Amino acid sequence: MIDGKQLIAWGFKPGKWFKDALIAANAMRDGQATDEMIYNAMLRMQPVETLMRTNGIPFNMLIDAENDLERANIDAVVQNMDALMRVPTIKAGAVMPDACPSGPQLGTIPVGGVVATEDAIHPGFHSSDICCSVQVTVFHRNHDLKQLLDVVQRVTHFGPGDRPSMIRPPSPIMEEVALNPFTAGLENFALGHFGTQGDGNHFAYVGHLRSSGKPALVTHHGSRGFGAQLYKRAMAVAKKHTAIVAPRVPPHNAWIKASSADGEAYWKALQLVRLWTRSNHTIIHDLVRNYCGLAVDDRFWNEHNFVFQKSDGLFYHGKGATPNWSGFSADDDGRTLVPLNMAEPILILEHTNNKDALGFAPHGAGRNLGRKAYMRGLKDQYWLESTDDAASQMAFFEQETANIDARFYCGKPDLSELPGAYKNAASVRAQINKYGIGKVVDEIIPYGSIMAGDWEVDAPWRKK
C-alpha cells in the first residue's frame, strides 16, 4: 500500500492533493502498475500553481512518442517543463528528442531541456556535472582498433576519486583556479581528477569514420569533482539570492543575478571549468596518440550541461542539450557530436541553428526509464526466477553487446548502460532529421567502448 510517507520519500510536497493522489496511486498499484508508472502519474497530479506564478511560458516540443512508455515519458517531461517555465527569469524553452525527467522535484529541468534566461545563471540547469562534453580525435592512418582500445584502457581512469599521476592541467588554468572566488580552494580536485573520466554514462569509444575509414577516439565526461564542488558553491549563492528576490521559487530553480559581482565571478568560473574539461579530454587523447605513435588528422569537441550567452543577451542553459549554432564558442568549428549508445554510430552533425530548438541539438539517445526502473524491469523479465543470477546477467550482457568490444573498467558490467537501456537510436535520429535539428554529415562506426561499470561492487582500487 502506498501512503503519504511514500509520496514524500519520492520527493512530493504534502498538501490537500495527497488525498486524491493516494486513492489514484493505490488503484494503480492494485492494477499492477510499476513504481515508475505511479510516480509519473503523481507528477501529473501534483498542482503546479502552488509553486510560482501562474502564467507559464509556452515551450517547443521537438520529440515524438511511438509507444505507451514513450508517451508516459513525454507526459512527465511536459509536467516538469510546464512548472519550470513559470520561473520569472525564463524567456524561452525547448525540449530535444532525447528528453527524460532528471529529478523528483516538480519543475526540475529535464535531460534534453533548454531554457533561455534574462540576467540569470541557474546552477541547477547545468547540474553538478558541469560541462559534460564529448571530444573526438581522428588519427591520420589506420591502426588496429583492439590495440587502440587496449591503450585507452591503460592510460585512462574511470570511477570515483583521483589518480596518482604526474599529469597536470595547464599552469594558466591552475593560476586562475586559485584567483577566482568560486574555485579558490578547489585546487586538489582540479589536480587529482585531471586525466580521469568518472562513471555513469561516461565513456571512451573507439571506431572508424564511415567516410574515410580512419580510426577515431571519442571520450565523454565532464568536470569531475572539480565541477561538482563548484556547483555546490554556486547553488549556495543562488539559493541565498533567490530566497530574497523570489522566495516562492523552489530551491532547485534558484539563480545568481548575472550582472552582479557574484554572477560575473561565476561566469568566469564556468569558463575556467570549460577550459579544464577540454584539457582533460585532450590529455587522454594525447596519451593514446603518443603510445600508439599516431598523428592527429582531425579533432573537435562540444559540451552539454552548460550555459551560453548569445548576442541577444540571454543566457541559454542546456541540460543534456548540445549547442548547434555556428560560433557558440571561440573553438567551435561548425560540427556537433551526438552519441546514441555504445553499439550505435556516433553522429557528426553540421550546425543548423534551428530556432524552435533555440539552436540546440540532443546530446544522445536519452532514456524512457530511469536506471532503477530499468533494472527492476530486467529482473522481472530475465532473471527474477533464475537459479543462477550471475549467469543470467552475463547472458544478457553478451546478447546486448554481441557485435562490439564492450569493457567495464571496474570489472562488473553496469547493465543500466547497455544499449537496451536507451531510447531507440533510429527513432531519435529520425526526429533529428524530421525537426531539422541538425544535418548528419558523417558517422563514427563503433568497434568498442569502455565505461566505469558497477564500481561499487568491484572497484580496482579496493583490491590489494
Side-chain angles (χ1 to χ4, degrees):
M1 178 178 176
I2 297 175
D3 57 17
K5 291 181 179 179
Q6 180 63 67
L7 295 187
I8 293 171
W10 283 347
F12 294 107
K13 185 176 180 180
K16 293 181 179 179
W17 73 283
F18 259 32
K19 180 179 179 180
D20 291 336
L22 290 173
I23 294 173
N26 284 293
M28 291 182 68
R29 173 56 55 82
D30 292 341
Q32 306 302 310
T34 65
D35 283 355
E36 189 79 10
M37 294 167 65
I38 297 171
Y39 171 76
N40 286 334
M42 296 301 98
L43 281 178
R44 293 191 289 272
M45 289 189 68
Q46 178 167 313
V48 298
E49 65 272 10
T50 61
L51 287 176
M52 300 165 244
R53 63 191 203 195
T54 57
N55 54 322
I57 298 173
F59 51 92
N60 298 321
M61 295 287 293
L62 294 88
I63 183 172
D64 296 331
E66 297 181 347
N67 53 52
D68 289 342
L69 186 61
E70 292 184 352
R71 277 186 281 276
N73 173 67
I74 291 178
D75 285 347
V77 168
V78 168
Q79 290 291 321
N80 279 284
M81 281 295 292
D82 181 66
L84 176 66
M85 298 302 290
R86 301 166 193 269
V87 175
T89 60
I90 295 177
K91 303 303 176 185
V95 173
M96 301 295 106
D98 60 337
C100 53
S102 61
Q105 296 93 353
L106 187 65
T108 298
I109 187 170
V111 172
V114 181
V115 291
T117 64
E118 184 174 32
D119 196 22
I121 303 173
H122 294 252
F125 294 177
H126 58 58
S127 79
S128 62
D129 194 11
I130 301 175
C131 201
C132 194
S133 44
V134 282
Q135 178 170 294
V136 60
T137 294
V138 179
F139 299 108
H140 185 65
R141 59 177 172 81
N142 290 335
H143 192 85
D144 180 81
L145 296 183
K146 179 184 181 302
Q147 184 187 48
L148 194 61
L149 195 61
D150 290 342
V151 171
V152 175
Q153 189 165 352
R154 187 184 314 145
V155 304
T156 192
H157 168 101
F158 282 92
D162 54 12
R163 60 184 290 180
S165 175
M166 297 300 292
I167 302 170
R168 295 178 62 88
S171 295
I173 292 178
M174 294 305 300
E175 292 170 2
E176 291 297 321
V177 168
L179 294 174
N180 188 288
F182 276 94
T183 57
L186 301 181
E187 290 87 345
N188 286 340
F189 289 97
L191 288 169
H193 288 195
F194 195 65
T196 72
Q197 293 197 245
D199 55 8
N201 65 346
H202 298 156
F203 62 76
Y205 173 112
V206 166
H208 67 271
L209 283 184
R210 183 181 295 278
S211 59
S212 66
K214 292 180 178 179
L217 165 64
V218 179
T219 49
H220 171 217
H221 60 261
S223 50
R224 303 288 283 115
F226 179 37
Q229 294 300 316
L230 171 62
Y231 168 77
K232 289 181 181 179
R233 293 182 173 187
M235 281 302 296
V237 173
K239 288 177 181 178
K240 183 177 180 180
H241 168 75
T242 307
I244 296 171
V245 301
R248 295 182 66 195
V249 170
H252 56 277
N253 293 145
W255 71 88
I256 301 172
K257 185 177 176 64
S259 59
S260 68
D262 283 336
E264 292 175 357
Y266 187 54
W267 179 255
K268 291 178 181 177
L270 287 173
Q271 310 318 307
L272 184 58
V273 165
R274 183 182 189 275
L275 291 175
W276 184 95
T277 307
R278 185 180 67 181
S279 298
N280 195 36
H281 283 282
T282 298
I283 192 63
I284 295 170
H285 288 233
D286 282 349
L287 285 169
V288 174
R289 173 180 63 85
N290 292 336
Y291 268 102
C292 296
L294 294 170
V296 173
D297 192 60
D298 190 14
R299 176 179 287 169
F300 66 96
W301 86 304
N302 44 252
E303 62 271 53
H304 44 273
N305 288 10
F306 206 62
V307 189
F308 310 87
Q309 190 174 27
K310 290 188 180 182
S311 58
D312 59 10
L314 298 181
F315 291 87
Y316 288 76
H317 300 67
K319 168 59 179 170
T322 303
N324 198 41
W325 71 89
S326 296
F328 72 86
S329 67
D331 51 16
D332 169 50
D333 80 341
R335 294 175 292 176
T336 298
L337 290 165
V338 180
L340 297 170
N341 65 58
M342 64 172 66
E344 291 288 334
I346 292 177
L347 307 180
I348 300 177
L349 305 183
E350 181 180 81
H351 292 342
T352 56
N353 192 23
N354 183 295
K355 302 301 182 183
D356 290 338
L358 302 185
F360 283 77
H363 84 307
R367 301 172 183 266
N368 285 314
L369 289 174
R371 295 174 188 273
K372 291 182 179 180
Y374 175 73
M375 291 301 295
R376 286 196 298 269
L378 284 188
K379 291 178 182 178
D380 291 343
Q381 184 174 358
Y382 288 99
W383 53 76
L384 184 62
E385 303 299 330
S386 172
T387 56
D388 190 346
D389 184 70
S392 298
Q393 294 187 36
M394 184 53 63
F396 178 75
F397 166 75
E398 292 174 353
Q399 170 188 314
E400 286 279 289
T401 61
N403 298 314
I404 56 172
D405 183 350
R407 308 180 187 183
F408 290 89
Y409 189 83
C410 297
K412 184 179 179 181
D414 179 354
L415 301 182
S416 69
E417 286 300 332
L418 296 181
Y422 288 88
K423 294 184 182 183
N424 181 276
S427 177
V428 173
R429 181 169 180 165
Q431 290 171 57
I432 291 173
N433 181 62
K434 172 184 175 180
Y435 290 106
I437 295 173
K439 178 183 178 182
V440 178
V441 294
D442 208 343
E443 302 175 24
I444 305 167
I445 309 302
Y447 165 76
S449 67
I450 307 168
M451 304 187 82
D454 194 346
W455 58 267
E456 295 185 36
V457 173
D458 197 23
W461 51 88
R462 290 180 175 171
K463 301 174 183 177
K464 293 183 179 179

